[in-house]
Amino acid sequence: MQTYGDDESRWQAVLTRDEAADGLFFSAVRTMGVFCKPSCPGRPLRKNVVFYDTAREAEQAGYRACKRCRPTR
């Protein structure tokens, strides 16, 4: 089982839209102001992405939930 403990493994999960990673972490896109599940079909640039362990952390950092992948559902 993948742990997604570092940013590189998390980024690989985002690139491959790894549904197994959903709920284990969230990616936030600085330029859009949204956070997503790893399996989201959106394709942000790596330089614009930061990772959070929980949806709450992403929200507290000022990001809103993606309307496409609905990460809080």
Side-chain angles (χ1 to χ4, degrees):
M1 180 176 158
Q2 176 65 269
T3 61
Y4 311 104
D6 60 64
D7 285 357
E8 183 55 36
S9 63
R10 290 176 175 199
W11 178 243
Q12 288 304 312
V14 170
L15 285 178
T16 60
R17 298 180 184 163
D18 186 355
E19 290 182 7
D22 287 355
L24 300 178
F25 70 90
F26 297 86
S27 60
V29 185
R30 291 182 187 112
T31 54
M32 301 293 292
V34 300
F35 70 95
C36 305
K37 299 186 294 188
S39 65
C40 185
R43 295 289 108 210
L45 296 174
R46 174 64 184 104
K47 67 181 182 178
N48 298 327
V49 175
V50 292
F51 298 103
Y52 292 95
D53 292 330
T54 66
R56 182 175 175 89
E57 287 176 357
E59 290 171 330
Q60 288 176 333
Y63 295 95
R64 68 168 176 80
C66 174
K67 293 180 181 177
R68 196 169 182 183
C69 71
R70 299 180 177 186
T72 56
R73 287 193 175 183

